[in-house]
Amino acid sequence: MIGHFNYAILGTGALGGFYGARLQRAGFEVHFLLHGDYEHVSQHGLIVESPNGDFALPSVRAYCDTAKMPRCDVVVVSLKTTHNYLLPKLLPNVLKDDGVVLVLQNGLGVEEEVARIVGAERVMGGLCFLCSNKIAPFHIRHLAYGEIKLAEYAANYQPQGITERMRQIAADFETAGISIHLEADLLFARWQKLVWNIPDNGLSVILDAQTDELMENASTRTLVEELMWEVVKGAAACDRQIPNTFIDHMLDYTLNMTPYRTSMKIDYDEKRPMEVETMFGNPLRMAQNNGVELSKIAMLYQQLKFLDEINCR
C-alpha cells in the first residue's frame, strides 16, 4: 500500500458515516456499506452538520451488499460490535490482498475477532473520541471532538510501535481534517478509552442520564471517578500503567463536553442490543484471568445484562 488509499466503510452510522464523509469530501475514494438506510443514502447522499462546518455530499458510492463493492486498501469496521457476527461474510469480499482492516469499535477483544478472519498482520485498531449522532438516515450531526488514536494489532496485543502504514493512513485522515494520534501499544490505548467508556456509557443507561447530569450530581460524579479508578486497576492487571493524571483529564473532558447522550444510551432507548460484552464483559474477563476482580464494574455488567435482555425481548 503506497500513496493515497481507497476506503470501504462497513457501518455508515454516526461514526462511520462522519469519518467516511470527511474522507470523501477531501477527495478520497470511499465506498459505503448500508442496510436499512441504503435507499435513502443512494438517493440523497450524506449531510454532515458540524461545528467545524456543515457540508453535503449529494452523491456517494453506496452499497447494500459487499459482493458488489470493489476491494479496498483500508476497510473501516464501524459497525456496532453486536453485529460482528456478520464480519466473516463481509470482510473477504471487500479487502484487498495487501489491505488492512481498521477496527473503529468500542471495548476490548474486537481486533481478535477480526484477526481470526483476515490474519493478525492485516488488522489495526482505532479509538474514536467523537460526539456524533445520526438524526436521519442520511443526516449526521457532529457535536464535538473527533480525534482517532491509531495502533497496530498483533496476537495477544503485543505492542508493535509506530509503522509506516499507520503514518500513511494517518496522513489521509489528517488531509480530511481528522486529528490522528499514533499509539505504539493498542492494548494500552484500549484500556485508556475504557476509563471514559465504562462509567459514562454504563451509568447513562442504568441511571437514565446524560453526561452533564452524571457530572453535576456529587454522588454520581464520585461514582464515575471510582469506576475510572477500577479501569486503571484492570489495566494494571494487564501490565498497562495508566497515569493517575489521566483520571483528572477524563473528568475535565466530560465536564467540558457538550451534554451528550452516550451511544449505549441511544441503543438502549432505541431498543437495540447494547455492546455489553465488548465494553464490560471482555475487560472484566481479561482482568480476572490476571487475578484481579473489578467489583463495581462487575455490578454494572450484571445490571446491563439484565436491562439488555429485557429491552430486546
Side-chain angles (χ1 to χ4, degrees), residues 9 11-19 33-34 37 78 132-134 140:
I9 307 292
T12 307
L15 188 147
F18 172 72
Y19 289 124
L33 180 70
L34 303 110
D37 297 341
S78 47
S132 181
N133 300 136
K134 187 171 73 172
I140 294 159

Side-chain angles (χ1 to χ4, degrees), residues 36-300:
D37 297 341
Y38 169 70
E39 293 294 339
H40 284 91
V41 175
S42 295
Q43 294 171 19
H44 303 286
L46 288 170
I47 295 169
V48 175
E49 192 181 320
S50 171
N52 301 328
D54 302 343
F55 65 93
L57 301 173
S59 176
V60 302
R61 299 173 182 90
Y63 307 81
C64 59
D65 182 355
T66 54
K68 298 176 182 177
M69 296 174 73
R71 293 183 182 271
C72 292
D73 299 302
V74 183
V75 178
V76 176
V77 175
S78 47
L79 298 164
K80 291 285 185 179
T81 58
T82 49
H83 289 94
N84 279 4
Y85 66 91
L86 297 170
L87 291 177
K89 291 183 179 179
L90 300 179
L91 287 173
N93 290 331
V94 75
L95 183 64
K96 283 185 179 178
D97 291 340
D98 62 345
V100 62
V101 179
L102 172 55
V103 184
L104 299 185
Q105 294 184 312
N106 283 322
L108 273 180
V110 286
E111 290 86 7
E112 289 176 288
E113 291 184 62
V114 176
R116 284 195 288 270
I117 303 165
V118 302
E121 73 284 354
R122 302 173 76 192
V123 181
M124 192 179 289
L127 297 302
C128 302
F129 296 81
L130 175 71
C131 295
S132 181
N133 300 136
K134 187 171 73 172
I135 61 173
F138 51 88
H139 191 155
I140 294 159
R141 178 174 290 157
H142 170 221
L143 302 173
Y145 305 110
E147 180 189 73
I148 299 174
K149 288 187 175 181
L150 194 63
E152 293 278 4
Y153 172 75
N156 301 316
Y157 283 100
Q158 291 301 308
Q160 295 300 293
I162 310 297
T163 65
E164 183 56 31
R165 72 176 178 181
M166 285 170 63
R167 293 190 177 94
Q168 291 171 349
I169 292 170
D172 284 357
F173 275 78
E174 286 167 347
T175 298
I178 300 159
S179 177
I180 296 281
H181 184 81
L182 302 183
E183 291 279 350
D185 184 346
L186 179 57
L187 184 59
F188 176 80
R190 285 220 166 268
W191 274 107
Q192 264 198 331
K193 179 75 184 296
L194 289 170
V195 170
W196 191 89
N197 265 344
I198 281 179
D200 284 273
N201 275 285
L203 293 176
S204 70
V205 173
I206 290 164
L207 300 176
D208 187 21
Q210 292 197 144
T211 52
D212 57 319
E213 295 171 304
L214 293 174
M215 296 304 290
E216 286 168 3
N217 180 278
S219 296
T220 50
R221 181 186 165 126
T222 298
L223 183 54
V224 166
E225 187 170 353
E226 288 172 349
L227 284 162
M228 287 182 173
W229 282 112
E230 267 206 0
V231 177
V232 170
K233 180 181 173 183
C238 301
D239 296 320
R240 301 304 190 272
Q241 308 301 322
I242 297 174
N244 294 347
T245 53
F246 190 72
I247 300 284
D248 293 331
H249 173 64
M250 284 291 97
L251 291 170
D252 289 341
Y253 169 88
T254 314
L255 272 171
N256 294 324
M257 77 192 307
T258 304
Y260 188 56
R261 189 166 61 122
T262 67
S263 61
M264 185 168 275
K265 183 68 166 73
I266 292 169
D267 287 340
Y268 180 74
D269 291 344
E270 298 292 327
K271 294 194 177 297
R272 297 191 295 253
M274 296 185 290
E275 298 178 295
V276 180
E277 289 304 329
T278 51
M279 206 181 296
F280 294 84
N282 288 354
L284 274 173
R285 287 183 283 270
M286 194 175 285
Q288 287 166 348
N289 288 341
N290 288 290
V292 172
E293 297 293 332
L294 308 173
S295 59
K296 286 187 171 65
I297 296 172
M299 181 182 288
L300 276 187

